[in-house]
Each structure stands twice: as C-alpha cells, then as structure tokens.
Amino acid sequence: AIQMTQSPSSLSASIGDRVSITCRASQDIRNDLAWYQLKPGKAPELLIYGASNLQGGVPSRFSGAGSGTDFTLTITSLQPEDFASYYCLQDHTYPRTFGQGTKVEVK
Amino acid sequence: QVQLVQSGAEVRKSGSSVKVSCKASGVTFNSFAFSWVRQAPGQGLEWVGGIIPLFGKTNYAQKFQGRVTITADESASTVYMHLSSLTSDDTAVYYCAREASIWRWGQGTPVTVSS
C-alpha cells in the first residue's frame, strides 16, 4: 500500500499567516492527490483535486502544488474559518490512503 | 446533480454486525467506483474499502480484511457496507463517496458500538 506521510501533525498560526502543509507519497502517484478540510460534525470538504485544481466555491487563498511524490497545500492568508484539520488523500491506486492529518490551531 | 444519501444512525453491541447503505442519484451508477471512509471520534480519516460496480470488483484496507464486505445493487443504485465482529473501536461516522476526479460524499452515518 502507498503510504502518505503528512506534516506537520499540528501547527499554531495567526489570522493572516501563510500556512503550508506537505504530503509525501511512498511511491509515484502522479497528480492523483486531493486535499480535504475536516471540521467537527461535518463531512469532509474537498479543497483541491488533481493536486492543484481548486474545487468550485473554495476561496482562492487555498492552493495545491506538486506531482509524483511531494505535494503541498498552502493557505496564503489564514482566516478564522480555516482553523480545522486537513488531510491529503491519494486515489492513484488501491488501497486508497489518507495522510495522518494536520490540525491548524490558533496561536 | 450527484447526490449520495446514506442510511440512518446505528447502535450495535460488541460482536454484532452493521450494514450501512448509500443510495446514489444523478449519476450513472455503473460508471464510477465508490469508497467507504470512516472517522472515529478524535481520529483522522480512514479508508475502509471500495467497489467498482461495473466489474463487481472490491478492494479493502488490510485492517478490515475478513470483517468488511462491500456490495452494490445496480437496480437500486445503492452500495452497501457490511462490517462484522464490531468492537468499540468501530464507533465512527461512516461516509460513502463516489470516486471521480472530484469525489462526492454522502452525509455520513454514525455507528455506535457499545459493550
């Protein structure tokens, strides 16, 4: 199975900060990677698909980059509603695998 | 518009099993794969398994092999996840998702396992 190593596991940031989260795949997954935001009591919200494509309705402060094995989610100016957990997901092969998650907290 | 509607919350005893359904609408059912994902309290997202209805092919996470069975009923446009030998560790919200370049998700089904 492809392992997705996500880092950091948590981070503290302030409103307006630039935040980056990385996922590294244990083998080449081309651009078959998505980023999700997770808030308590809500279904996962898709932010980025195909490694760098912004899902409709998602603010442009979110962006994704990378291909192959190394991927990054960036939030350019953190807003109050962005304090949440974030997960990467590879759907290149079965079994599908998620990163361990990153919790973005208030500094 | 793709819509996935899951069955309601379930409460089970340890050692029993549960079957959760996910009805798809607004989608050509056999054209896509479907996955089941869960989130336990305070934990991350975990892929349980998936099915490609057109081929009847299933894939399961190693962790759930032997305990989970995912099936599809094309006539009802519905996928099912059956999980057996439940323990308290299986307490979670279970989501179905239609796979594509953009995954679409159901609303989630809480499953509570009590001893």
Side-chain angles (χ1 to χ4, degrees):
Chain A
I2 295 175
Q3 294 183 23
M4 302 301 297
T5 303
Q6 186 172 339
S7 62
S9 56
S10 66
L11 64 90
S12 298
S14 301
I15 302 298
D17 282 356
R18 179 186 179 95
V19 167
S20 289
I21 300 167
T22 64
C23 260
R24 173 164 288 177
S26 59
Q27 62 190 73
D28 187 347
I29 59 169
R30 293 170 36 171
N31 67 342
D32 296 327
L33 183 111
W35 289 98
Y36 285 88
Q37 181 189 71
L38 197 62
K39 291 182 176 180
K42 297 185 69 177
E45 180 181 354
L46 177 65
L47 302 173
I48 302 288
Y49 64 95
S52 60
N53 299 291
L54 189 69
Q55 167 67 337
V58 174
S60 58
R61 63 181 179 273
F62 291 92
S63 64
S67 67
T69 60
D70 292 306
F71 303 87
T72 303
L73 172 71
T74 299
I75 310 171
T76 52
S77 178
L78 201 64
Q79 298 301 301
E81 60 268 30
D82 301 336
F83 293 101
S85 294
Y86 296 85
Y87 293 84
C88 62
L89 165 67
Q90 70 81 17
D91 61 357
H92 181 70
T93 61
Y94 287 103
R96 311 312 198 194
T97 42
F98 287 93
Q100 299 95 324
T102 297
K103 187 171 185 179
V104 177
E105 299 174 303
V106 178
K107 190 177 225 179
Chain B
Q1 180 76 353
V2 177
Q3 191 172 14
L4 301 176
V5 178
Q6 298 182 221
S7 49
E10 301 274 10
V11 179
R12 292 287 185 273
K13 294 281 193 184
S14 290
S16 67
S17 64
V18 68
K19 190 171 186 177
V20 182
S21 67
C22 171
K23 182 173 176 62
S25 61
V27 60
T28 304
F29 185 74
N30 267 352
S31 298
F32 299 94
F34 292 83
S35 273
W36 287 91
V37 172
R38 77 178 189 181
Q39 185 190 18
Q43 303 298 309
L45 296 171
E46 184 173 35
W47 187 79
V48 176
I51 188 167
I52 305 174
L54 180 62
F55 305 116
K57 181 168 174 54
T58 54
N59 290 276
Y60 302 125
Q62 176 86 19
K63 176 178 179 177
F64 301 100
Q65 287 275 4
R67 278 207 308 138
V68 67
T69 304
I70 295 174
T71 56
D73 179 346
E74 182 188 357
S75 66
S77 297
T78 300
V79 293
Y80 302 90
M81 183 203 67
H82 181 262
L83 188 62
S84 62
S85 301
L86 293 170
T87 72
S88 57
D89 290 342
D90 295 313
T91 293
V93 178
Y94 290 78
Y95 295 99
C96 68
R98 183 224 67 188
E99 295 193 12
S101 56
I102 297 174
W103 285 35
R104 301 293 186 189
W105 295 67
Q107 83 275 19
T109 297
V111 174
T112 302
V113 182
S114 63
S115 54

